[in-house]
Amino acid sequence: MDRLGSFSNDPSDKPPCRGCSSYLMEPYIKCAECGPPPFFLCLQCFTRGFEYKKHQSDHTYEIMTSDFPVLDPSWTAQEEMALLEAVMDCGFGNWQDVANQMCTKTKEECEKHYMKHFINNPLFASTLLNLKQAEEAKTADTAIPFHSADDPPRPTFDSLLSRDMAGYMPARADFIEEFDNYAEWDLRDIDFVEDDSDILHALKMAVVDIYHSRLKERQRRKKIIREHGLINLRKFQLEFELRREIKRLQEYRTAGITNFCSARTYDHLKKTREEERLKRTMLSEVLQYIQDSSACQQWLRRQADIDSGLSPSIPMTSNSGRRSAPPLNLTGLPGTEKLNEKEKELCQMVRLVPGAYLEYKSALLNECNKQGGLRLAQARALIKIDVNKTRKIYDFLIREGHITKA
C-alpha cells in the first residue's frame, strides 16, 4: 500500500465516494487499477467490498492520506499546506492570525517553520536562482527588437469611431464599459463579521465565488477579442474594400463583361445613366414650381448654390400651396456641437433635431458599410420618418461622400 497525500483541508474539494456519494475524509481508498477518472471509496464502502462496473473488491489499492511528514518530522503534509494557505490568506508576518487559522500550531512554531523551510532553505534558494538564470538566458536568446510605432488611435468619447470600437480604449487596452459591467454591485453590501452564522458565511462566500466566475467570463471574452483582433478597424476597413470590389466584379460578370476595357465602358455608361436620372428628377422639380414664379426663382438660386458647391440656404416656398415651415432654431439643442456647418443647415431646413439626425446618420452609415452601398428605398425602410425628409438626408449623405449608392 502506498501512502499518498491529498493536500486540501476542505472535504468538498475532494471527489465524492463512488459507493455512498459522501465527502471523502482522510484516510480514504483509491483503486490502482480503475481509471481514469480515478475511482475513490470511503473506508466504510471499502470494508464492505463495494463493487461497481469494472471495479472489483480484489483490485489493488492506495491509501490516500496526508499525515506523513515532508520537511519536518513534527509537521504533516496537511499542516504544511495549511501553513501556506494561512500565510496566503493572512499575509506574511501576521503569525498570530496564521496560528489562529491553523489551530494546531503556535505563533512561534509557524514563524520558525516558515522562515526555516520556505525562506532560508538553501535548496529552494538554489532552485529559484537556477529558474531565474534560465529565464534570463531564454529572454536574452529570444529578445524582441524594439520598433517605434504610431500612437494608437484615441477617439473621443461617444464619437462614431468610439461607437464602432465598442468603447475600446487602445491606450489602456480596455473598454469603457465592461462585459457584465455591474457584476461588482452584488458585493457592495457584503461585509464579513465575526458573529456571522455558518450559513450566512457560506452564503457570502457563494456570492464571492459567483463574482469570480463572472470575472473569468469577462477575461475570457477580452482574450477572444485580443487573439482574433476584433477591434482592428483597419482590418475591417480592408475587408469592406475587398467586399465592395468583389461585388463590383460580380456585377461585371452578371453583365457579361470579361475584360477591363469593357468594364471601363460599362462604368462610363452607368455614370451617364445616373446623370440622366438626376436630370429627370430635376425636371420634375422644375415642373412642380413652374406655375409659381417666386418659387421658381428660389429653386434656380438654390440649384446655383448646389452647382457652385455651396449648401442651399433659401427655403423653398410656393404661393400655389402651403408655405414651407421656417428653419429650425438649433440654439441650445443637444448634439448641435457635434454637427458641422453643412449638417446644421440641413437640420435647420429639414427641421430635424441634431440628436435624431445623428442617430439616422449612424444607422445609414452602418447599413451602407454592411451592404457595400445603400439605395433610397433601403434608407426609407431603415428610418421611419417623412419620406421627403429621408430623401433629403439620403441625398445629403451621398453628396458629402458619407455613403455610396448601391
Side-chain angles (χ1 to χ4, degrees):
M1 294 186 301
D2 295 328
R3 303 172 72 228
L4 303 176
S6 176
F7 301 140
S8 176
N9 295 325
D10 189 353
S12 62
D13 291 341
K14 303 182 182 69
C17 171
R18 294 297 294 271
C20 60
S21 299
S22 62
Y23 287 129
L24 293 173
M25 303 297 294
E26 295 182 3
Y28 56 94
I29 305 300
K30 175 185 177 183
C31 180
E33 300 181 21
C34 297
F39 192 93
F40 296 111
L41 289 174
C42 64
L43 292 181
Q44 290 76 13
C45 293
F46 176 73
T47 54
R48 64 183 177 86
F50 176 79
E51 295 182 347
Y52 179 74
K53 292 185 178 179
K54 295 182 179 181
H55 174 71
Q56 300 297 319
S57 58
D58 59 350
H59 282 181
T60 57
Y61 60 92
E62 301 170 357
I63 298 177
M64 308 297 291
T65 182
S66 57
D67 62 351
F68 54 91
V70 178
L71 301 174
D72 190 310
S74 62
W75 284 69
T76 65
Q78 185 175 1
E79 289 176 328
E80 298 282 3
M81 293 304 301
L83 174 63
L84 295 178
E85 292 177 359
V87 172
M88 185 181 298
D89 294 341
C90 303
F92 177 79
N94 299 321
W95 302 114
Q96 186 59 58
D97 294 337
V98 170
N100 293 339
Q101 182 168 323
M102 286 196 60
C103 300
T104 59
K105 300 293 181 180
T106 64
K107 168 186 174 182
E108 291 75 15
E109 289 174 333
C110 293
E111 180 179 4
K112 180 179 178 181
H113 183 83
Y114 191 87
M115 296 301 295
K116 177 181 178 181
H117 295 285
F118 295 101
I119 300 298
N120 300 323
N121 192 328
L123 175 62
F124 289 173
S126 61
T127 303
L128 292 175
L129 179 61
N130 292 336
L131 290 175
K132 182 178 180 182
Q133 291 175 347
E135 184 66 24
E136 290 176 351
K138 180 180 178 182
T139 305
D141 294 338
T142 60
I144 301 176
F146 170 77
H147 297 287
S148 60
D150 295 334
D151 195 43
R154 304 182 184 185
T156 57
F157 175 71
D158 203 30
S159 64
L160 177 62
L161 182 58
S162 175
R163 291 195 295 270
D164 288 341
M165 296 175 67
Y168 183 71
M169 300 177 291
R172 292 179 55 186
D174 209 345
F175 290 87
I176 296 175
E177 184 171 341
E178 298 279 6
F179 168 76
D180 199 359
N181 197 47
Y182 299 101
E184 288 76 11
W185 281 25
D186 294 336
L187 300 178
R188 66 186 187 275
D189 296 327
I190 291 183
D191 185 20
F192 289 90
V193 295
E194 295 182 358
D195 58 350
D196 280 345
S197 63
D198 293 341
I199 295 179
L200 182 57
H201 181 79
L203 287 174
K204 292 181 178 179
M205 293 302 299
V207 172
V208 175
D209 290 340
I210 293 172
Y211 170 69
H212 285 165
S213 66
R214 296 166 76 177
L215 289 184
K216 289 180 180 178
E217 177 63 17
R218 183 184 292 174
Q219 294 301 321
R220 186 186 72 85
R221 292 179 179 242
K222 286 185 180 180
K223 183 179 179 181
I224 292 174
I225 289 174
R226 286 195 300 268
E227 290 181 351
H228 295 275
L230 301 182
I231 299 298
N232 190 343
L233 289 184
R234 293 182 181 178
K235 171 183 174 182
F236 290 110
Q237 289 170 353
L238 176 60
E239 179 183 353
F240 168 71
E241 295 294 335
L242 291 174
R243 288 181 180 273
R244 186 169 63 180
E245 187 66 17
I246 291 172
K247 185 177 181 180
R248 188 169 69 91
L249 294 176
Q250 289 174 338
E251 182 182 354
Y252 291 157
R253 176 174 292 183
T254 304
I257 298 172
T258 58
N259 56 68
F260 287 107
C261 181
S262 301
R264 286 193 294 270
T265 304
Y266 175 82
D267 289 337
H268 176 71
L269 294 176
K270 182 179 179 180
K271 182 178 180 182
T272 303
R273 288 195 299 269
E274 288 292 329
E275 292 175 352
E276 291 295 331
R277 188 181 64 80
L278 291 176
K279 289 179 180 179
R280 289 195 298 270
T281 302
M282 185 181 301
L283 179 61
S284 64
E285 291 187 1
V286 171
L287 294 176
Q288 179 182 354
Y289 296 111
I290 195 66
Q291 302 298 330
D292 190 332
S293 59
S294 176
C296 186
Q297 291 296 326
Q298 292 180 12
W299 182 87
L300 291 174
R301 288 196 295 270
R302 179 172 175 268
Q303 292 300 321
D305 289 341
I306 294 176
D307 293 339
S308 61
L310 301 176
S311 298
S313 57
I314 302 175
M316 295 300 303
T317 59
S318 175
N319 294 332
S320 59
R322 184 178 59 182
R323 287 181 58 86
S324 299
L328 178 66
N329 184 8
L330 303 182
T331 305
L333 292 180
T336 304
E337 70 282 356
K338 299 179 181 179
L339 306 180
N340 58 35
E341 292 302 321
K342 292 183 179 181
E343 289 176 325
K344 291 179 181 178
E345 292 176 2
L346 174 68
C347 289
Q348 290 173 340
M349 299 298 299
V350 182
R351 295 186 60 79
L352 193 64
V353 295
Y357 165 76
L358 291 173
E359 292 294 332
Y360 298 151
K361 177 183 175 183
S362 176
L364 295 177
L365 288 177
N366 291 335
E367 187 66 19
C368 181
N369 290 336
K370 292 178 182 177
Q371 304 295 334
L374 192 67
R375 293 183 288 107
L376 177 59
Q378 293 174 312
R380 286 174 174 169
L382 195 62
I383 54 177
K384 305 294 185 180
I385 58 175
D386 181 72
V387 293
N388 294 322
K389 290 186 177 182
T390 304
R391 174 61 180 265
K392 292 177 181 178
I393 296 173
Y394 176 79
D395 290 341
F396 174 80
L397 295 178
I398 291 287
R399 189 166 59 249
E400 294 299 318
H402 296 298
I403 61 176
T404 57
K405 292 184 178 180

